[in-house]
Amino acid sequence: MDLISNLATGFAVALTPLNLAFCLMGVIIGTLVGVLPGIAPITTIAILLPFTFTLPPASALIMLSGIFYGAQYGGSTTAILVNLPGESSSIVTCLDGHQMARQGRAGPALAIAAIASFFAGTVATVIIATASVPLSWLAIKFTAAEYFSLMVLGLTGSVALAHGSPAKAIAMVLLGLLFGLVGIDVNTGLPRMTLNIGELGDGIGFVPIAIGMFGIAELAVALGRPQDRSLLSVAVKNLWPNWLEIRACLPAMTRGTAIGSILGVLPGGGAALSSFAAYAVEKKVSATPERFGKGAIEGVAAPEAANNAGAQTSFIPLLTLGIPGNAIMALMVGAMMIHGIQPGPQVMTAQPELFWGIIASMWLGNLMLIVLNLPLIGLWVSLLRVPYRILFPAIVLFCCIGTFSVSNSTFDIALMLLFAVAGVFFIKVGAEPAPFILGFILGPLMEENFRRAMNLSRGNVLVFLERPISAALLVATLALLVVLILPAVRAKREEVFQE
């Protein structure tokens, strides 16, 4: 009954005209960035962060959430019709989705992608609502020692699941932790690593880093890639799949939703990893694996269900524990802090309208997406005709305005450009910026919880091992590290990312 009353509270918030409008705006923007290759949802959320300052917290978070899961829908449209994944989680959809389009079955491919996404979104919303209560109950038992250990596990997980070399991912985490410590030491009141620059006294701003690394840097790298958009004339006929196709897709959607729901919760997981894993599983369990890659409709249903479920369940650790599991969730933490909300289990008890409003809006957003996507396919595809060289200057200008508007500081724009250059360098040398931003966000929180734990235990370092939950989290971290350095696991990991 609590769940029903909580969801009723959430729908009462999400159904207000203002929040409905921002939910619609979020999913439209999300679909748009999903359609346009090179503009990822993380880029868009980073750019729009400063513009949410004046909005009510619930409206701002509902809109930013809508961009994230809306992009999963949009990415599938161009993946199927143009063989061009607008979003990394849609890469797998190209394999069978575009083959279906070439065989004249673009309509069923698009329809099953939308149906699978809506099915997964609905299930994921229920999972978030049911899992949040026990997880928050557990989180209330957390003290500073448990929070510190949980953050160590989260950062280790982000290293394990990052693309490329683990050594580079560890280096990026440490670099992020270091940058997160710049500013005034809250205990001594002395400046720390500020290089005598007055503007760094309050630390490095989150917005310049986010926009620089995930906005301008990602766009600049995308600008350097060839933009092949030649297959725009695929006809969309007979939109709905037949009963046999739907029956074949039901188990695939269910498995994809389950895989996405689990992987979305893991640190470093999310939509992209979920879609790859779901496709691999579907191919293995199929009685006719040779059909995959040649237009198998299950090869569209499973990854599309997985990426939407993974996108939504990645909110679970953020909303219940205050721990971002991936870079987009790190940006959501930044958005919550900008609005004066301390992420963690207290959000559910102190601001239930906000918490349940975001969850309810996810289901409404998914409903809007299925209504919007299918009738407007022609409009979304026509957007691909906009030359990237025209979009790029407009987006850079938008980034500068957004960064400047935070504190009316030109220093922040200089920082943004500096981190944009650093972001391009990191991408070019194969070091993902995502572990950096996780380290940057979690660094000050880890320091705060470490110091608090040490103060409460009067300097006894063993406090992290004496408390059962903290010890279990550290053991899990150690196990993850051991697994990560095993030669067989490392070889398999590289093989998976290569695929």
Side-chain angles (χ1 to χ4, degrees):
M1 290 303 291
D2 281 347
L3 178 63
I4 294 172
S5 63
N6 287 332
L7 285 175
T9 304
F11 277 107
V13 173
L15 285 170
T16 59
L18 184 67
N19 289 336
L20 272 177
F22 279 104
C23 185
L24 180 64
M25 192 184 300
V27 296
I28 289 176
I29 295 173
T31 305
L32 180 64
V33 302
V35 166
L36 291 173
I39 306 178
I42 192 166
T43 309
T44 313
I45 291 173
I47 293 170
L48 289 180
L49 264 180
F51 297 97
T52 64
F53 283 5
T54 54
L55 299 179
S59 304
L61 293 171
I62 283 171
M63 185 185 78
L64 295 176
S65 307
I67 292 172
F68 183 28
Y69 56 79
Q72 315 309 321
Y73 275 77
S76 64
T77 303
T78 45
I80 291 168
L81 294 183
V82 196
N83 199 24
L84 199 61
E87 227 278 314
S88 59
S89 61
S90 303
I91 292 172
V92 183
T93 307
C94 290
L95 300 177
D96 285 286
H98 188 63
Q99 285 301 320
M100 287 181 69
R102 293 177 77 91
Q103 294 162 13
R105 296 165 63 217
L110 288 163
I112 208 66
I115 292 168
S117 295
F118 179 71
F119 172 79
T122 303
V123 174
T125 303
V126 174
I127 290 173
I128 295 171
T130 50
S132 296
V133 175
L135 274 176
S136 290
W137 176 82
L138 177 67
I140 289 171
K141 296 183 179 300
F142 277 33
T143 64
E146 282 81 10
Y147 270 116
F148 175 80
S149 301
L150 181 65
M151 290 173 197
V152 173
L153 175 62
L155 288 179
T156 310
S158 72
V159 169
L161 296 173
H163 290 254
S165 158
K168 288 179 182 173
I170 291 171
M172 292 298 283
V173 166
L174 294 177
L175 201 59
L177 289 171
L178 199 64
F179 275 82
L181 298 180
V182 173
I184 301 294
D185 187 322
V186 290
N187 279 21
T188 64
L190 296 173
R192 191 170 54 182
M193 296 186 288
T194 59
L195 305 175
N196 292 323
I197 300 173
E199 285 86 349
L200 293 179
D202 292 331
I204 299 175
F206 172 73
V207 170
I209 286 188
I211 294 184
M213 278 196 167
F214 293 107
I216 294 182
E218 296 278 354
L219 288 169
V221 171
L223 199 61
R225 297 187 189 121
Q227 301 290 315
D228 180 12
R229 305 179 184 182
S230 54
L231 300 174
L232 293 174
S233 56
V234 180
V236 180
K237 297 176 182 174
N238 303 322
L239 197 61
W240 296 105
N242 59 44
W243 169 242
L244 285 177
E245 288 174 324
I246 291 176
R247 199 170 65 175
C249 287
L250 277 176
M253 282 192 285
T254 308
R255 282 189 286 267
T257 303
I259 291 168
S261 300
I262 294 168
L263 291 181
V265 178
L266 296 180
L273 183 66
S274 303
S275 62
F276 279 90
Y279 187 83
V281 168
E282 209 52 44
K283 195 173 176 181
K284 280 192 184 300
V285 301
S286 173
T288 52
E290 65 276 4
R291 291 190 302 112
F292 282 74
K294 298 174 184 172
I297 196 165
E298 304 97 302
V300 176
E304 284 302 313
N307 67 29
N308 205 36
Q312 287 192 219
T313 56
S314 61
F315 280 86
I316 291 178
L318 171 68
L319 292 175
T320 55
L321 302 173
I323 304 293
N326 53 48
I328 290 184
M329 291 302 108
L331 294 187
M332 294 297 289
V333 169
M336 293 173 88
M337 288 178 166
I338 284 169
H339 286 278
I341 302 163
Q342 181 67 40
Q346 71 278 4
V347 174
M348 184 184 281
T349 51
Q351 295 171 293
E353 293 84 6
L354 173 76
F355 182 91
W356 292 104
I358 294 172
I359 291 176
S361 76
M362 290 181 184
W363 188 82
L364 291 173
N366 276 282
L367 188 62
M368 290 176 186
L369 281 164
I370 199 168
V371 174
L372 278 174
N373 268 262
L374 294 180
L376 299 180
I377 282 170
L379 172 66
W380 300 126
V381 173
S382 67
L383 289 170
L384 281 167
R385 295 190 177 95
V386 179
Y388 205 63
R389 63 178 184 279
I390 294 177
L391 287 176
F392 185 74
I395 293 171
V396 170
L397 179 65
F398 207 53
C399 290
C400 293
I401 294 171
T403 304
F404 183 77
S405 67
V406 176
S407 52
N408 295 334
S409 166
T410 50
F411 181 76
D412 281 352
I413 294 182
L415 265 183
M416 176 196 75
L417 295 174
L418 188 66
F419 280 104
V421 173
V424 171
F425 171 76
F426 290 144
I427 294 169
K428 292 289 183 188
V429 299
E432 275 196 50
F436 176 90
I437 204 76
L438 283 174
F440 179 79
I441 286 282
L442 292 181
L445 295 173
M446 285 178 73
E447 182 193 16
E448 181 188 335
N449 283 290
F450 180 78
R451 284 185 166 180
R452 192 175 295 158
M454 295 304 289
N455 286 336
L456 291 173
S457 65
R458 298 183 179 177
N460 180 15
V461 183
L462 293 177
V463 66
F464 298 105
L465 298 175
E466 289 169 348
R467 298 184 62 84
I469 297 177
S470 173
L473 292 169
L474 289 179
V475 168
T477 304
L478 188 63
L480 197 56
L481 281 174
V482 170
V483 167
L484 192 60
I485 59 175
L486 286 176
V489 175
R490 286 182 62 182
K492 187 66 182 173
R493 176 182 180 277
E494 285 169 10
E495 182 188 328
V496 168
F497 282 126
Q498 187 64 34
E499 285 178 9

